Amino acid sequence: MTAPADFYAGLVAQAYTALRSQIFDPAPYAAFVRSYGEPGLEVGCGAGDPLLHLVQDGLEVHGADSSADMIDQARTTAEQRELDMRLHVTQMEDMDLDQQYRSIYLAGPTFELLPDDVAALRALTSFRRHLATDGAVMVPLWIASPTPKEQFHVAREAVDGCGAVVRFTPMAEEYDPLSRTRRTAVTYERIPQNGPTEVVHREWLIHWQTRETITALATQADLKVLSVEPPSTDGADEPGDEFTAVLAPA
């Protein structure tokens, strides 16, 4: 298994912005921070999306990510935009920021990069430790689907800011609904206009939560569930489901 701090490093971090399949709408995160208050904390902020938008709009939101390379990108962009931002390199389950926040959120299902429920509980306990008594935590989640067979060995391609072609290719996968894990062997390539091609091979691990498991873990972390949206219509979670849990101190 490749830990998130090591996965999103080097070539992968360089290619991330060009290859990302989703650009986050900052509006829901800004609304969450405005609802529960400042300061806010974006956990798993990566290269700064949507964190930079919120700070640019005048909100006091700090960022935390386990990848030093991704934090460097966020810091560089903040400096280019002349934004004053507090950024921390730390794993979400080991945060020790010496501060409490009224709103803590993850942008997208970053929580599911944690390898198992033990790490997930540690992360929720870390959130609880950093959460103000009147604050809340927003955790977007996703029930991972198996990668379609026709996508294996087929590269997704883009051009980065330096004009190099970057590629992401899924090679093989183990999908286990019982352990709620998807392990995908992936290859990243960077082909510059001049110079040799760079290649790295990584294992991309997703460990997903259901509505039931996130509720149980929250209870163990001394948190209560304020809402899960959308709720399950039939009590069962299906691959591809997306939902968001909002948690508060118990």
Side-chain angles (χ1 to χ4, degrees), residues 60-72:
E60 183 187 356
V61 185
H62 304 170
D65 198 278
S66 63
S67 168
D69 287 352
M70 297 294 278
I71 286 288
D72 283 345

